[in-house]
Amino acid sequence: MGEIPKIHPRYKSLITREKISKAMENGLVHKTGLIAHGRGEAFDYLIGEKTIKEADEAAMIAAAALLKAKNPVISVNGNVVALSANECISLAECIPAKLEVNLFHRTEERMKKLIEAFKKAGAREVYGGIGDARIPNLGHDRGICDKEGIFSADVVLVPLEDGDRCKALRDMGKFIVAIDLNPLSRTSKTANVTIVDNVMRAIPNIEKWVKKLKNREKRELEEKVKSWDNGERLGNVLSFISKRLNSLS
Ligand code: PTJ
């Protein structure tokens, strides 16, 4: 495609597609990352391509969980680096949390490229390259992680996560915050807190809440997190979508 005209009504969406397809050509995004992106776009339409109330509240709980954590880690993959690298770095500094590249389709070449891309964007330290630990009960290379990173984390933020790995992380006793536009996915259902929103809006929104909650007592943060019922909240998202579709029909 030539230059995308700024007056195109879907300009933002087209630019995002360009970004992700270029990142695929550069070996950062896996080819199935394009399929995942398309699926995300479809669900984004259903919520009106904006942060809905339920997602904002989930982002607040996510911020509370990340702030009260002893070793919080933000797990990033190809799509996340292509769409939100700077925002992830800013969030990680604000909490503070570690950043770890953790791939579904892991190759040493992609790991190297993604860690380099993060460092080029300003990240001081990026975990994932050592690969000296394994998430139990996960076959193949998608179970590889860093001992000092995800393996020993108590809270992990997983944008665009695979359902199987999300469950394996929960089985390790970790508190999982997922960002997933699909409220029906296994990841959404398995996480402790699911933010049904686009990763490009959700990451800065979590940061907004981290700044608001930063000076609150740990006990208050804990109470907020404890009060969250993820199943009920996902039900509310589905009701929102169904009401919205009814109102449009
Ligand atoms: O870079 P890798 O090798 O780790 O691979 C990453 C992908 C995304 C290819 C891999 O994790 C994968 O196949 O994921 P899934 O199982 O397709 O799940 C992706 C989920 O993310 C789907 O439920 C999508 O709806 C959702 N999604 C896609 N784009 C976005 C999104 N959620 C939030 N924001 C998005 N921009």
Side-chain angles (χ1 to χ4, degrees):
M1 188 174 182
E3 202 175 316
I4 298 162
K6 280 212 167 75
I7 53 154
H8 193 290
R10 302 288 307 158
Y11 179 75
K12 212 170 151 200
S13 158
L14 294 177
I15 286 289
T16 306
R17 282 184 183 178
E18 283 292 294
K19 237 191 205 176
I20 207 148
S21 70
K22 275 217 177 81
M24 191 204 80
E25 284 162 16
N26 293 335
L28 295 170
V29 167
H30 188 262
K31 61 186 177 200
T32 60
L34 300 190
I35 300 169
H37 182 73
R39 185 143 42 113
E41 275 189 338
F43 280 102
D44 212 1
Y45 257 79
L46 299 183
I47 57 168
E49 294 177 300
K50 57 180 189 223
T51 301
I52 64 173
K53 188 173 134 280
E54 287 293 336
D56 191 41
E57 286 172 9
M60 187 261 282
I61 302 295
L66 289 160
L67 281 170
K68 76 170 188 64
K70 288 195 182 75
N71 186 17
V73 174
I74 303 174
S75 167
V76 290
N77 60 23
N79 288 46
V80 177
V81 174
L83 300 179
S84 299
N86 292 325
E87 291 77 4
C88 285
I89 294 167
S90 175
L91 175 62
E93 278 174 7
C94 193
I95 295 169
K98 291 172 182 166
L99 283 165
E100 176 161 341
V101 174
N102 194 248
L103 299 181
F104 187 80
H105 307 280
R106 184 182 175 117
T107 64
E108 284 319 303
E109 197 194 347
R110 272 188 80 217
M111 286 299 297
K112 226 172 123 195
K113 279 189 179 175
L114 286 162
I115 291 171
E116 263 168 28
F118 249 115
K119 290 205 167 152
K120 216 172 146 193
R124 265 171 273 160
E125 192 161 15
V126 185
Y127 291 80
I130 303 173
D132 53 353
R134 262 197 173 273
I135 301 167
N137 304 318
L138 257 193
H140 308 289
D141 290 351
R142 70 201 160 114
I144 300 173
C145 61
D146 274 16
K147 213 181 257 174
E148 290 295 310
I150 287 176
F151 191 79
S152 54
D154 52 349
V155 176
V156 190
L157 171 62
V158 290
L160 276 78
E161 182 58 291
D162 155 61
D164 228 24
R165 197 165 48 186
C166 185
K167 182 173 179 304
L169 289 169
R170 284 255 5 224
D171 289 346
M172 285 176 85
K174 300 183 191 303
F175 187 95
I176 304 300
V177 177
I179 301 172
D180 195 329
L181 277 161
N182 178 1
L184 299 167
S185 76
R186 282 185 60 229
T187 296
S188 287
K189 290 186 194 159
T190 309
N192 298 83
V193 178
T194 306
I195 304 169
V196 181
D197 202 3
N198 196 309
V199 68
M200 293 186 288
R201 297 189 297 267
I203 299 279
N205 203 31
I206 300 173
E207 186 172 332
K208 170 196 86 181
W209 281 111
V210 166
K211 285 177 178 155
K212 280 191 189 176
L213 299 178
K214 214 170 173 102
N215 298 318
R216 301 286 177 91
E217 297 275 338
K218 278 235 152 123
R219 217 169 37 163
E220 188 190 337
L221 298 176
E222 255 154 30
E223 271 162 22
K224 279 188 193 301
V225 174
K226 255 197 207 148
S227 69
W228 185 259
D229 180 336
N230 208 44
E232 187 188 322
R233 297 302 185 129
L234 285 173
N236 292 350
V237 174
L238 291 174
S239 296
F240 172 88
I241 291 173
S242 110
K243 276 188 204 143
R244 183 165 184 270
L245 292 182
N246 275 328
S247 77
L248 292 172
S249 65

